[in-house]
């Protein structure tokens, strides 16, 4: 595995691979790697000759009061993890390399960034769009691997790639969960043991809601109320939002139909956890 | 010469050329092709195996009161011109293909877009940045050819390419002029015969200013005053701006030093003409 910090250097290595006709799979991350990331890496390895993993905690996607400073940074641990997963190239740029002092450009994706998490994290998805545009221009992969856990991120990046004609295929991989159903996340590290025991209620509530819809429920408000009640009765979590939206446009649904994304964000102490489920009606 | 309107089609053709190891030169235009464009095409042809010319009158770079509807569109004439110039591929997408109804993304380049023309054409350079990002992602050229006549456009696109890490080299080509010094421009078509006779004063004034600086003048205000006086005394042109700025950052200069861009925009009737000159001090 090559550990590369320099933009020119990684461009050269990737250009060489491309000249050999090798396809490039790309897994962008913020590090603190876990089994969720491993599943993306393995998917990429099965489908491509070369797998590139990037680790970059992107300041532009954190709000002023968010956990940018506290976000776990574990370079050695991540490198060992990536090596074990047989990543070919790990790209580890510094903030100054990605955003030099002379930097002036921003990207905005409208509407789809305003619902769900976007309502509570203004600018977050614009920061994601910007850094992913840059990383895609540096790595120029054939396929970009993303996790369904970050459902809105997936939708925003699909829109971005379509709108800017970025020449990459997007492959969305299923959420990887702990045995008790909790979605894998670097932020699970923030949970106390008690919060950790409670947190699986999120996925239980989402599955319960799906069951209700499959049994015929079509009233959005009822579904949301049901999820909220389960979370409140079984945990100390503070609900930030629970929403049922169109899975492509992320716009709120009056009646439930088509492909529905049920998504939520719940605070457990310092940890803001998100999860979601898709129901096809 | 191939005339391509479809995005997928041009991607396929370019991928084939790249597999043959051919380099791609790209000349983006809004059509109404003239000798200025020809010089970009010839530069690209000398340096690349394949030259792609795009013709797209980009609605997003025109203000509400600007000449989007009136801008000259001469498809047959342009195709003949491009063929004579031995362009390999002319890319002629429709507005709907470039901006489908579902389009949601915008790009902003700060600061460098706010001076010179940007002061009078808010949003113009963001529209340019957006369409060029898209065209670069579609054509994926090795080299992008731009004309120095649009000095601010050159500076903004250099900044954009650097900021977004777009993998392309930028080649800025000298302004091509009529025999009497008037910079070639599609908008020269708007000039009446009288305005056409007057318009060369712009370049005469710029050269005169350069001479003054080379003779030792370092006071920005004096240089601007001199240019303004020449234009006012010798034409019916209405000056929009005359500015002396740093040639890279486009920020105003108190004292003249380094690489100085003297740029101006002057209305002659319906035609807004721009021109510029660089002085190295």
């Amino acid at each position: 595995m090559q550990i590369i910090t320099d933009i020119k250097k990684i461009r050269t290595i990737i250009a060489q691979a491309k000249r050999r006709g090798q396809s490039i799979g790309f897994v962008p991350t913020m590090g603190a790697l876990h089994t969720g990331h491993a599943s993306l890496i393995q998917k990429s390895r099965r489908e491509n000759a070369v797998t590139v993993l990037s680790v970059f905690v992107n300041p532009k996607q954190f709000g002023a009061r968010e956990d940018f400073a506290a976000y776990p940074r574990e370079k050695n641990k991540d490198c060992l993890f990536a090596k074990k997963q047989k990543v070919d190239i790990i790209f580890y740029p510094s903030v100054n390399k990605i955003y030099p002092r002379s930097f002036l450009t921003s990207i905005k994706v409208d509407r789809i960034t305003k619902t769900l998490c976007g309502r509570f994290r203004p600018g977050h998805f614009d920061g994601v769009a910007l850094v992913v545009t840059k990383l895609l221009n540096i790595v120029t992969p054939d396929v970009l691997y993303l996790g369904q856990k970050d459902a809105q991120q997936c939708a925003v990046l699909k829109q971005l790639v379509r709108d800017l004609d970025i020449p990459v295929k997007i492959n969305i991989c299923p959420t990887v969960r702990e045995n008790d159903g909790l979605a894998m996340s670097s932020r699970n590290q923030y949970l106390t043991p008690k919060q950790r025991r409670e947190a699986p209620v999120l996925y239980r509530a989402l599955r319960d809601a799906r069951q209700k819809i499959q049994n015929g429920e079509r009233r959005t408000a009822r579904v949301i109320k049901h999820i909220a009640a389960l979370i409140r009765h079984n945990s100390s979590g503070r609900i930030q939002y629970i929403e049922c939206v169109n899975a492509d446009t992320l716009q709120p649904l009056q009646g439930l139909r088509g492909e529905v994304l049920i998504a939520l964000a719940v605070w457990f102490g310092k940890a803001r956890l998100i999860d979601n489920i898709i129901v096809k009606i």
Side-chain angles (χ1 to χ4, degrees), chain A:
Chain A
M1 185 180 77
Q2 298 187 75
I3 305 174
I4 312 285
T5 57
D6 188 65
I7 294 176
K8 263 192 196 151
K9 184 91 182 282
I10 194 166
R11 283 197 201 276
T12 307
I13 294 168
I14 285 168
Q16 285 164 353
K18 292 205 165 188
R19 269 197 296 278
R20 290 191 295 265
Q22 294 181 309
S23 74
I24 314 286
F26 179 44
V27 181
T29 80
M30 298 210 301
L33 302 175
H34 52 65
T35 317
H37 300 114
S39 85
L40 302 177
I41 295 167
Q42 292 316 313
K43 191 81 190 288
S44 169
R45 287 194 59 230
R46 283 196 296 277
E47 300 181 351
N48 300 279
V50 176
T51 290
V52 179
L53 178 101
S54 69
V55 175
F56 182 65
V57 184
N58 174 30
K60 298 218 185 230
Q61 72 188 68
F62 287 82
R65 292 170 192 185
E66 291 184 355
D67 58 342
F68 174 66
Y71 199 87
R73 289 161 173 88
E74 307 162 330
K75 181 160 181 174
N76 292 338
K77 218 172 134 197
D78 285 343
C79 284
L80 276 172
F81 185 98
K83 200 172 172 185
K84 233 183 216 162
Q85 294 294 327
K86 301 215 164 82
V87 163
D88 298 291
I89 300 166
I90 184 164
F91 180 46
Y92 227 114
S94 68
V95 172
N96 286 339
K97 286 261 172 68
I98 295 294
Y99 303 117
R101 277 172 44 136
S102 60
F103 196 88
L104 293 175
T105 301
S106 59
I107 294 181
K108 244 189 184 27
V109 184
D110 204 7
R111 210 151 66 212
I112 197 167
T113 57
K114 306 289 191 231
T115 57
L116 306 179
C117 295
R119 258 203 303 147
F120 302 94
R121 306 187 71 187
H124 167 69
F125 289 109
D126 296 329
V128 171
L130 179 62
V131 81
V132 172
T133 299
K134 284 173 64 73
L135 291 169
L136 289 173
N137 282 333
I138 294 167
V139 177
T140 62
D142 297 278
V143 192
L144 169 65
Y145 294 87
L146 301 172
Q148 174 60 30
K149 198 211 93 193
D150 301 306
Q152 189 167 18
Q153 178 167 281
C154 293
V156 170
L157 292 179
K158 277 201 235 170
Q159 179 80 36
L160 174 80
V161 161
R162 210 183 316 129
D163 282 356
L164 295 188
D165 301 293
I166 300 176
V168 70
K169 202 179 149 279
I170 294 184
N171 193 322
I172 313 271
C173 304
T175 303
V176 179
R177 300 179 179 281
E178 306 282 357
N179 285 332
D180 58 12
L182 177 62
M184 299 263 182
S185 165
S186 305
R187 289 189 172 99
N188 292 348
Q189 297 184 20
Y190 299 155
L191 296 171
T192 65
K194 176 170 172 287
Q195 288 160 355
R196 175 64 191 79
R197 283 193 302 275
E198 293 173 355
V201 70
L202 302 183
Y203 186 50
R204 282 205 308 277
L206 287 169
R207 276 189 311 177
D208 229 68
R210 179 169 61 191
Q211 194 55 59
K212 267 196 140 31
I213 296 170
Q214 281 164 351
N215 291 346
E217 182 61 75
R218 291 294 177 270
R219 290 163 297 184
T220 309
R222 283 296 176 98
V223 171
I224 291 172
K225 220 168 176 178
H226 180 70
I227 297 172
L230 278 174
I231 293 170
R232 286 205 189 94
H233 294 150
N234 295 287
S235 80
S236 58
R238 285 172 296 119
I239 296 166
Q240 187 176 63
Y241 72 80
I242 303 166
E243 281 197 66
C244 297
V245 298
N246 176 295
D248 283 324
T249 65
L250 307 192
Q251 298 312 296
L253 288 168
Q254 300 294 348
L256 297 173
R257 64 188 135 69
E259 200 158 325
V260 177
L261 175 75
I262 314 178
L264 51 77
V266 177
W267 285 95
F268 284 85
K270 283 185 301 183
R272 181 177 173 280
L273 303 186
I274 59 173
D275 203 349
N276 68 83
I277 206 165
I278 286 179
V279 191
K280 283 168 192 168
I281 299 171

